[in-house]
Amino acid sequence: MKLLRHGPAGAEKPAILDAEGKIRDLSGMLSDLGGEALSDASLDRLRQTDLSTLPVVDPQRIGACVVRPGKFICVGLNYADHAKETGKAPPEEPILFMKATNAVVGPNDDVEIPRGSLKTDWEVELGVVIGTRAKYVAESQALNHVAGYCVVNDVSERAFQSERGGQWTKGKSHDTFGPIGPWLVTRDEVADPQNLSLWLDVDGVRRQTGNTNTMIFGVAHLVSYISQFMTLEPGDIIATGTPPGVGMGIKPEPVFLRAGQVMTLGIEGLGEQKQTTVEARA
């Protein structure tokens, strides 16, 4: 299933994309897409629903595919070729950091360039959405705790991230730095999360091309690993790292985003995003 949320920011309603590409409203069945609505039992009820009985909607806006995630966990340097372009050695264990959830926006919403920013960058990533509580989970059972997958743009301000002291969070958490969606694609429709093509363009120029088969740590390992340190709750998002081609890695000179540019990105089977960059709003 391809689940989504539609409507004005802060007033989105849940919906589903049917086999004919029509968006059908789910607000009569679910209050929203988050928490227990992402459990296996809840998703099974949706699978048994005759979608033709649900009203068709023509949304003006697609929102983030999950409502108010409790945690937005990111994995750094999880592609060896991306680590190389940043001048860092591939990690021996997953590098974890948090992105503040105020960064979450819809897949086609504007992305703000922060005040004082000189190094805002792009990162297409596979997002993993947790559906069932996970604590001390074995790797062999980890994918059973996944509700589905989505496209994430882990927008980053590199100077804030690496040149302002402390950890990475301050460079990852500006408002709009976490577009997710358009869809939450349930795990039964993703045969192998370790074989998905990813891409990202800026102003029509291909910047990133990759495949999840080159991850250092795969999805099952990440879910299991993270669950040893914190309990993963339904609706939590894990952004699993980015392939090479980020702005900071471009030679001979890095290239960064400025207001008025357009990012388009996507992942095989999970849909596409499109964002315009704008100056930060108060």
Side-chain angles (χ1 to χ4, degrees):
M1 295 183 292
K2 293 181 174 66
L3 305 174
L4 63 147
R5 300 171 65 247
H6 69 97
E12 295 93 342
K13 296 180 179 180
I16 187 169
L17 190 72
D18 71 14
E20 298 177 348
K22 296 177 181 178
I23 296 174
R24 294 184 178 270
D25 188 75
L26 288 175
S27 57
M29 300 183 64
L30 299 174
S31 59
D32 215 330
L33 292 177
E36 289 306 310
L38 301 177
S39 69
D40 285 348
S42 175
L43 296 178
D44 284 342
R45 284 194 294 272
L46 292 181
R47 289 188 187 95
Q48 296 166 17
T49 300
D50 180 357
L51 299 186
S52 66
T53 64
L54 301 175
V56 174
V57 294
D58 183 17
Q60 300 301 304
R61 173 182 176 273
I62 301 297
C65 59
V66 178
V67 61
R68 293 186 297 277
K71 293 188 284 296
F72 199 152
I73 306 158
C74 299
V75 183
L77 304 178
N78 196 30
Y79 289 71
D81 37 10
H82 171 57
K84 182 179 179 180
E85 74 176 349
T86 65
K88 297 180 173 64
E92 296 183 4
E93 291 191 41
I95 296 172
L96 305 181
F97 61 92
M98 308 293 278
K99 181 185 282 281
T101 56
N102 61 272
V104 174
V105 289
N108 305 313
D109 289 344
D110 291 344
V111 165
E112 295 185 3
I113 305 296
R115 292 179 180 176
S117 168
L118 297 175
K119 297 182 179 181
T120 299
D121 206 346
W122 55 83
E123 294 190 14
V124 60
E125 305 199 7
L126 173 65
V128 179
V129 180
I130 299 299
T132 304
R133 182 178 182 271
K135 183 177 183 180
Y136 298 124
V137 172
E139 187 169 337
S140 61
Q141 298 299 312
L143 295 187
N144 294 333
H145 293 264
V146 173
Y149 303 92
C150 65
V151 181
V152 173
N153 190 354
D154 176 22
V155 185
S156 310
E157 211 300 338
R158 302 301 187 186
F160 296 178
Q161 176 183 349
S162 302
E163 301 170 21
R164 299 288 296 273
Q167 299 178 342
W168 291 359
T169 303
K170 68 179 71 170
K172 298 284 188 171
S173 297
H174 192 273
D175 293 355
T176 75
F177 268 24
I180 61 172
W183 312 314
L184 189 169
V185 180
T186 52
R187 71 173 188 268
D188 57 302
E189 289 201 7
V190 180
D192 183 3
Q194 301 310 144
N195 190 25
L196 300 173
S197 297
L198 309 84
W199 60 273
L200 182 144
D201 294 349
V202 179
D203 291 339
V205 177
R206 181 59 46 95
R207 292 300 190 184
Q208 289 188 276
T209 302
N211 191 289
T212 58
N213 61 20
T214 63
M215 282 184 184
I216 299 171
F217 306 105
V219 172
H221 181 85
L222 291 173
V223 172
S224 173
Y225 181 87
I226 295 169
S227 79
Q228 311 306 308
F229 300 96
M230 65 191 83
T231 301
L232 294 169
E233 300 286 356
D236 286 351
I237 299 169
I238 303 170
T240 56
T242 197
V246 298
M248 68 180 295
I250 294 175
K251 302 293 190 295
E253 293 292 335
V255 175
F256 296 110
L257 293 165
R258 61 186 186 279
Q261 295 189 283
V262 176
M263 292 180 283
T264 51
L265 58 148
I267 300 178
E268 178 183 357
L270 304 185
E272 299 183 4
Q273 301 184 353
K274 182 177 181 179
Q275 298 113 25
T276 299
T277 55
V278 299
E279 298 289 353
R281 306 179 179 98

